[in-house]
């Protein structure tokens, strides 16, 4: 999933992309992106101060080999209850974010209503042509979970939140062999990856 998200971000062809990660946790995806993009301006949000401290330590350790224009910021926020977009407003990023990303986390926000609320806020942060790319656990008939949904439900939510769904997955097949794919979604095992554009 990290390779897939990284390739989507790389495909937007911005020299110094502004990237926002929702529910960034301990910074594993941030670390991956920091290592694969020559320059990055990154802002990660998470509910856990402990995980954010871990993320800061991880990224600071790798900082020495990065160009001076690389920026990695982490902020504590409850994405559903807090107005996390105020931080981006203060940074001058409203409507200028190149990509909003997330990995294995949106199901923790609650049901479709809560996830859609956050994805609508994310859409307002993105520039014209900006990307939303995320991977998350899909509904499993053998292990049902109230906040996991099938591919069609994810795609419908993206559409209802105002994202354009494109059939641009041909390059994805070079990264990892997905089990199934359709429109703006690809599946890797128990995980679905989704892309929406504005």
């Amino acid at each position: 999933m990290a390779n897939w998200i990284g390739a989507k971000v790389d495909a937007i062809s911005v020299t110094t992309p502004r990237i926002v990660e929702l529910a960034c946790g301990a910074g594993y995806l941030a670390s991956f992106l920091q290592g694969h993009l020559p320059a990055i301006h990154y802002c990660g949000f998470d509910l856990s101060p402990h995980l954010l401290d871990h993320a800061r330590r991880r990224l600071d350790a790798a900082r020495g080999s990065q160009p001076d224009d690389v920026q990695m910021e982490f902020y504590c926020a409850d994405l559903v209850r807090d107005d996390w977009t105020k931080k981006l407003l203060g940074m001058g990023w409203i409507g200028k974010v190149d990509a909003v990303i997330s990995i294995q986390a949106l199901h923790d926000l609650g049901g479709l209503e809560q996830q859609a609320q956050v994805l609508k806020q994310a859409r307002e942060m993105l520039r014209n042509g900006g990307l939303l790319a995320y991977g998350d656990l899909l509904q499993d008939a053998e292990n049902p979970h109230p906040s996991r949904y099938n591919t069609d439900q994810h795609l419908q939510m993206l559409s209802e939140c105002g994202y354009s769904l494109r059939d641009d997955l041909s390059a994805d097949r070079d990264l990892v062999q997905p089990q199934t794919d359709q429109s703006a979604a690809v599946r890797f095992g128990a995980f679905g990856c989704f892309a929406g554009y504005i």
Side-chain angles (χ1 to χ4, degrees):
M1 287 190 301
N3 284 336
W4 184 86
I5 289 174
K8 291 291 184 197
V9 172
D10 192 48
I12 61 178
S13 301
V14 175
T15 305
T16 306
R18 288 181 172 152
I19 299 171
V20 172
E21 184 175 2
L22 305 176
C24 62
Y28 293 107
L29 184 55
S31 180
F32 174 85
L33 293 172
Q34 183 187 38
H36 286 82
L37 295 171
I40 182 175
H41 289 179
Y42 169 97
C43 183
F45 293 94
D46 199 87
L47 181 62
S48 168
H50 174 72
L51 289 176
L52 290 173
D53 286 342
H54 191 71
R56 287 184 190 101
R57 286 194 303 272
R58 168 184 284 116
L59 277 291
D60 284 347
R63 179 88 173 122
S65 62
Q66 295 294 312
D68 291 337
D69 61 348
V70 170
Q71 296 177 0
M72 306 295 287
E73 303 285 342
F74 296 91
Y75 298 101
C76 192
D78 181 325
L79 295 173
V80 175
R81 292 180 181 86
D82 298 337
D83 188 359
W84 52 275
T85 63
K86 283 185 179 178
K87 179 55 72 176
L88 297 175
L89 176 64
M91 295 167 62
W93 281 26
I94 300 295
K96 297 180 181 178
V97 173
D98 297 296
V100 174
I101 60 173
S102 186
I103 195 165
Q104 197 177 341
L106 294 187
H107 66 272
D108 287 331
L109 298 178
L112 283 175
E113 182 179 334
Q114 289 80 18
Q115 292 180 38
Q117 170 195 324
V118 172
L119 293 181
K120 286 176 184 174
Q121 289 175 293
R123 187 184 183 285
E124 297 302 314
M125 303 302 104
L126 287 165
R127 64 168 174 80
N128 189 27
L131 163 73
L132 167 75
Y134 70 96
D136 209 343
L137 290 163
L138 294 175
Q139 189 176 60
D140 181 351
E142 295 177 12
N143 267 319
H145 191 282
S147 61
R148 294 183 190 162
Y149 303 95
N150 64 38
T151 298
D152 289 339
Q153 289 170 307
H154 279 275
L155 293 174
Q156 181 178 347
M157 177 175 60
L158 285 173
S159 180
E160 290 174 356
C161 289
Y163 292 94
S164 170
L165 308 175
R166 300 180 187 167
D167 184 5
D168 61 352
L169 297 173
S170 57
D172 297 341
R173 292 176 183 86
D174 297 332
L175 299 171
V176 188
Q177 289 300 317
Q179 291 179 346
T180 62
D181 65 353
Q182 65 173 333
S183 181
V186 63
R187 183 173 181 148
F188 302 108
F191 295 89
C193 290
F194 303 89
Y197 301 82
I198 65 165

